[in-house]
């Protein structure tokens, strides 16, 4: 019973302290679905750096255009790679078989990843910031929130190269405590954070496109309720004037 309670408490606390499955702390991404420019940048970054391996098969280019306020021409010019059509879903050029042959694992479809992972966009954000060099891995990269991931750090030229810093405990066990930037990338750490945030926001939107409408409908509902409250209050004042 006490054990059960303990686990219930742990479960309740896990999201609060941001525990990922691997035990690494997640960083707060600060994504904002109301920030259309951020979503547009995220879409562009995704098409440039991620779509070569990952598909978003539950999302069509046309829907992307409508939701992000881009014309068909802009989508075709800036987002579509290869000869995909505007009405088609976002598919990657490589097959699952190629992915397995090249990386030991097929790159999964990312349509729902920002909802599937505990922590959602914070997981994606921490993942994109969590790559470090590890010569024991086949591609030379490892990741703090996804230990043993078979994805290379595709944004290393932007972020630079991070090395792990270990702390040895009383039992002689080494624990990774933080990452250290040993070779700066093209971007400053703050600029790279924004890149990671924009991609995370974009994947958050893709995982639930209706959230955009819900947020904008929400504003009108609140405005309506505020107006209605005012009307009801004026009406009450009017009625009570006769009573007094
Ligand atoms: C060179 C191919 C390649 C590119 C480019 C690439 N990835 Fe990956 N990605 C992979 C592979 C392979 C995996 C599977 C890793 C595993 O399961 O070990 C993966 C896994 C992931 C996962 C975890 C998915 C899951 O369900 O566990 C996320 C999130 C992800 N990638 C995001 C991205 C983002 C964002 C970009 C662009 C910045 C990107 N990837 C670019 C190959 C790639």
């Amino acid at each position: 019973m006490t054990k059960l309670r303990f686990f219930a408490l742990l479960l309740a606390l896990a999201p609060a302290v941001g525990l990922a499955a691997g035990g690494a702390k997640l960083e707060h991404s600060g994504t904002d679905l109301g920030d259309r420019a951020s979503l547009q940048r995220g879409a562009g970054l995704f098409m440039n750096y991620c779509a070569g391996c990952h598909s978003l098969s539950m999302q069509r280019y046309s829907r992307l255009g409508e939701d992000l306020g881009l014309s068909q021409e802009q989508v075709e010019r800036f987002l579509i790679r290869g000869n995909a059509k505007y009405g088609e879903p976002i598919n990657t050029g490589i097959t699952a078989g190629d992915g397995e042959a090249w990386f030991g694992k097929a790159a999964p479809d990312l349509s729902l990843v920002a909802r599937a992972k505990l922590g959602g966009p914070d997981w994606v954000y921490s993942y994109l910031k969590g790559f470090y060099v590890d010569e024991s891995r086949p591609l030379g990269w490892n990741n703090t929130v996804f230990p043993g991931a078979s994805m290379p750090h595709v944004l290393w030229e932007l972020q630079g190269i991070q090395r792990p810093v270990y702390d040895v405990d009383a039992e002689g066990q080494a624990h990774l405590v933080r990452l250290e930037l040993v070779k700066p990338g093209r971007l400053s750490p703050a600029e790279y954070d924004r890149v990671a945030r924009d991609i995370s926001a974009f994947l958050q939107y893709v995982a639930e496109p209706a959230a955009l409408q819900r947020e904008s409908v929400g504003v009108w509902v609140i405005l309506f309720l505020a107006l209605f409250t005012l009307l009801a209050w004026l009406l009450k004042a009017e009625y009570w004037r006769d009573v007094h």
Side-chain angles (χ1 to χ4, degrees), residues 45-46 49-54 94 99 103 105-110 113 117 123-124 127-128 146 148-152 154-155 199 203:
L45 287 161
F46 186 90
Y49 291 101
C50 320
C53 293
H54 292 286
I94 68 170
F103 314 109
K105 197 129 191 201
D109 186 274
L110 295 184
V113 75
K117 298 286 184 186
W123 190 94
V124 178
Y127 177 59
L128 293 177
F146 188 170
S150 45
M151 173 174 140
V154 296
L155 300 173
I199 296 175
L203 287 175

Side-chain angles (χ1 to χ4, degrees), residues 2 11 15 37 60 66 73 93 101 104 115 117 124 131 136 166-167 179 186 209 217 230:
T2 32
L11 265 183
R60 286 175 194 281
E66 281 161 33
E73 201 217 323
R115 264 204 287 172
K117 298 286 184 186
V124 178
F131 282 94
S136 72
Y166 293 99
D167 193 18
L179 298 177
R186 285 213 316 268
V217 167
L230 181 74

Side-chain angles (χ1 to χ4, degrees), residues 3 14 43 46 63 70 97 107 136 144 155 179 193 203 212 229:
K3 231 185 198 166
F46 186 90
R63 173 81 196 253
L70 300 169
S136 72
T144 49
L155 300 173
L179 298 177
D193 285 359
L203 287 175
L212 286 192
T229 308

